[in-house]
Amino acid sequence: MTRYKLLLGAAALCAFGQTAVAGPTLDSVRAKGFVQCGTTTGFAGFSAPDSKGEWKGLDIDLCRAIAATVFGDATKFKASPLNAQQRFTALQSGEVDVLTRNTTVTQQRDTALGLLGAGINYYDGQGFMVPKKLNVKSAKDLNGATICLQTGTSNEANVADWARANKVEYKPVVIEKFDEVVRAFIAGRCDAFSTDASGLASIRSSQTTAPDDYVILPEIISKEPLGPLVRQGDDQWLNIVKWSLFAMIEAEEYGITSANVDEQTKSANPNIQRILGVTAGGGKNLGVDEKWAYNIVKQVGNYGESFERNVGKGSPLKLERGLNAQWNKGGLLYALPIR
């Protein structure tokens, strides 16, 4: 074997065993001491301040999980409320480190905007809500109706496409700010409100005085895979966000909870050993502490715990798991293996 080949082989071995080199976003996050997450301006169950002003929700838990990965401390985050039109500019400019808000991952957003989806933390679809007194049973009965929509979202185009395909005539009432759209609908300025079905459930539960006076119609007119977005060009930060989400999903699949995680570190299951850092390597690959996933589960919980307390049966929204159940329980949640 020539000296040249020996050098190539040594270089390959070194490259294979390298620890992840810190990227610009991770360096910036560590320097300021917290993760800055772009959130909604108030979306109960997903990202909204509670009565004490503390941000809570499924998307906030993902932000907390990222903080636990980076710092070992899920409290080291800040929420930046952003409306639909502000969110992408804020991420592109570096005002926020990641979007953890109800944002649909689409081809255009994943390419032309210089952003990348880092996974899906809620599978949703766009629907319609109407006052019960209208006695509307189907979205196809909305011919001639006025429909409230938020500008700067995919909702406008989805309704237009659906209406064209189903020969439904309607008048859009388009408003920039989410809270103002909701108020307009509740005030009776439009016959229906259309957004993601989870958003409709959130609005009915938290922003109406009589939730039973409103009906969410059965039709789902689009696919809305909601998930975190990061900037293109920083693979390490993409990996940190993506694998923080996957750790929550994997933990649920293997029955690792915030209550039993310490006991689970003694498990003989090699997958659990890798997830919890008993078997080293995962942390080194990401450039963080080996207990990164342990810290997520201990401080935030697994995906199922987060779902139930924020939007599931243990919450005011009382949403079914549905598509957001684990892959082995009839849902779409399928995390890549931590190994």
Side-chain angles (χ1 to χ4, degrees), residues 42-48 56-61 202 206 306-307 309-312 315-317:
F43 188 178
F46 288 83
S47 58
K56 299 288 178 65
L58 189 76
D59 290 333
I60 295 298
D61 278 354
S202 175
S206 65
S306 178
F307 186 99
R309 70 171 169 260
N310 290 304
V311 301
S315 76
L317 273 64

Side-chain angles (χ1 to χ4, degrees), residues 23-24 116 231-242 286:
L116 282 174
R231 289 179 290 277
Q232 290 182 13
D234 191 339
D235 291 348
Q236 191 197 18
W237 187 246
L238 169 67
N239 280 331
I240 285 173
V241 174
K242 177 172 71 175
L286 290 174

Side-chain angles (χ1 to χ4, degrees), residues 41-83:
T41 52
F43 188 178
F46 288 83
S47 58
D50 64 12
S51 58
K52 298 178 181 178
E54 297 178 358
W55 283 82
K56 299 288 178 65
L58 189 76
D59 290 333
I60 295 298
D61 278 354
L62 178 54
C63 179
R64 294 172 61 218
I66 298 165
T69 294
V70 175
F71 297 107
D73 185 346
T75 68
K76 291 190 174 182
F77 78 94
K78 290 187 179 179
S80 290
L82 301 167
N83 66 33

Side-chain angles (χ1 to χ4, degrees), residues 130-278:
V130 297
K132 184 182 288 185
K133 65 183 180 183
L134 292 184
N135 200 32
V136 172
K137 304 299 182 185
S138 167
K140 293 181 181 179
D141 296 333
L142 293 173
N143 197 46
T146 52
I147 300 178
C148 276
L149 298 157
Q150 184 185 14
T151 191
T153 68
S154 57
N155 300 148
E156 292 180 79
N158 288 340
V159 170
D161 289 347
W162 171 84
R164 190 178 304 113
N166 289 277
K167 297 181 172 56
V168 172
E169 297 289 336
Y170 73 99
K171 180 180 179 181
V173 178
V174 182
I175 301 172
E176 179 181 341
K177 294 183 178 180
F178 185 76
D179 290 346
E180 292 179 7
V181 187
V182 174
R183 285 196 292 270
F185 170 67
I186 294 173
R189 284 184 55 192
C190 37
D191 302 309
F193 183 43
S194 186
T195 188
D196 299 343
S198 61
L200 297 176
S202 175
I203 293 162
R204 184 172 65 175
S205 170
S206 65
Q207 299 194 45
T208 64
T209 55
D212 290 341
D213 288 348
Y214 297 88
V215 175
I216 297 174
L217 301 178
E219 288 89 350
I220 296 295
I221 66 170
S222 69
K223 293 184 293 185
E224 303 296 332
L226 309 178
L229 271 73
V230 298
R231 289 179 290 277
Q232 290 182 13
D234 191 339
D235 291 348
Q236 191 197 18
W237 187 246
L238 169 67
N239 280 331
I240 285 173
V241 174
K242 177 172 71 175
W243 288 99
S244 295
L245 170 58
F246 285 162
M248 295 181 74
I249 298 172
E250 278 264 271
E252 182 187 17
E253 180 178 343
Y254 285 98
I256 310 168
T257 70
S258 56
N260 71 18
V261 65
D262 288 312
E263 184 64 27
Q264 289 278 29
T265 60
K266 303 169 188 175
S267 171
N269 186 321
N271 291 310
I272 294 176
Q273 290 177 350
R274 283 190 290 267
I275 293 168
L276 297 182
V278 177

Side-chain angles (χ1 to χ4, degrees), residues 75-93:
T75 68
K76 291 190 174 182
F77 78 94
K78 290 187 179 179
S80 290
L82 301 167
N83 66 33
Q85 291 186 310
Q86 296 169 328
R87 55 185 168 172
F88 300 127
T89 302
L91 181 57
Q92 291 162 340
S93 68

